[in-house]
């Protein structure tokens, strides 16, 4: 396996500064932006959420809103041609499955660095992706 350049890199994007740092790093690892595959995963609505009773809060509307937000956030020329995917489900599982479906060579993700009780309660998406992924995962830390 050669390290550089990669042909297919998956980058999970949650709109945080951390994920934007991962995207910038991934962009440096490919020769062209069309080798980037950006995925945003929306958690499913649970029956306890108020949005469930409003017909405007269906999954298609949520996906359309996420697509618009991604397009606006990634309007810079260095991301032109990058593939964007929106999914609903468990972030770690959806990212790993997407990477396997497109036969990605690498996943680049940033760890938010939670420790202690926050890590136990919330878990680590990056940690789960490392466990589930079929390909190497580059986990960035500050």
């Amino acid at each position: 396996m050669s390290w550089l350049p990669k042909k297919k890199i998956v980058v999970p994007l949650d709109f945080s500064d951390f994920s934007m740092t991962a995207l910038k790093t991934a962009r440096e690892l490919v020769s062209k932006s069309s080798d980037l595959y950006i995925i945003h995963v929306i958690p499913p609505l649970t029956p306890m959420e108020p949005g469930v009773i409003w017909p405007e809060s269906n999954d298609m509307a949520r996906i359309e809103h996420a697509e618009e937000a991604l397009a606006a956030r990634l309007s810079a020329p260095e991301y032109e041609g990058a593939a964007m995917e929106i999914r609903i489900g468990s972030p770690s599982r959806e990212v790993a499955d997407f990477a396997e479906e497109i036969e990605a060579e690498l996943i680049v993700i940033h760890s938010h660095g939670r420790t202690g009780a926050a890590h136990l309660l919330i878990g680590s998406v990056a940690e789960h992706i490392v466990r589930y992924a079929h390909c190497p995962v580059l986990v960035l830390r500050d």
Side-chain angles (χ1 to χ4, degrees), residues 13 15 40 62-75 84 86:
L13 193 70
F15 297 101
H40 176 70
R62 296 170 68 214
I63 288 171
E64 287 174 16
H65 178 70
E67 286 172 345
E68 291 169 5
L70 267 180
R73 187 75 186 254
L74 303 176
S75 61
M84 293 182 227
I86 309 290

Side-chain angles (χ1 to χ4, degrees), residues 111-128:
S111 174
H112 291 195
R114 291 185 185 96
T115 58
H119 178 74
L120 287 174
L121 293 173
I122 299 169
S124 169
V125 172
E127 181 181 336
H128 289 122

Side-chain angles (χ1 to χ4, degrees), residues 24-93:
K24 288 176 186 173
T25 300
R27 180 60 185 99
E28 295 171 5
L29 298 175
V30 295
S31 57
K32 56 188 187 281
S33 59
S34 61
D35 293 334
L36 288 176
Y37 293 80
I38 301 161
I39 181 170
H40 176 70
V41 182
I42 303 168
L45 287 174
T46 62
M48 302 303 286
E49 294 182 63
V52 172
I53 61 172
W54 296 321
E56 300 85 26
S57 291
N58 60 41
D59 286 341
M60 286 308 295
R62 296 170 68 214
I63 288 171
E64 287 174 16
H65 178 70
E67 286 172 345
E68 291 169 5
L70 267 180
R73 187 75 186 254
L74 303 176
S75 61
E78 64 260 29
Y79 303 118
E80 187 176 328
M84 293 182 227
E85 177 82 9
I86 309 290
R87 297 208 177 174
I88 296 177
S90 163
S92 54
R93 179 53 73 186

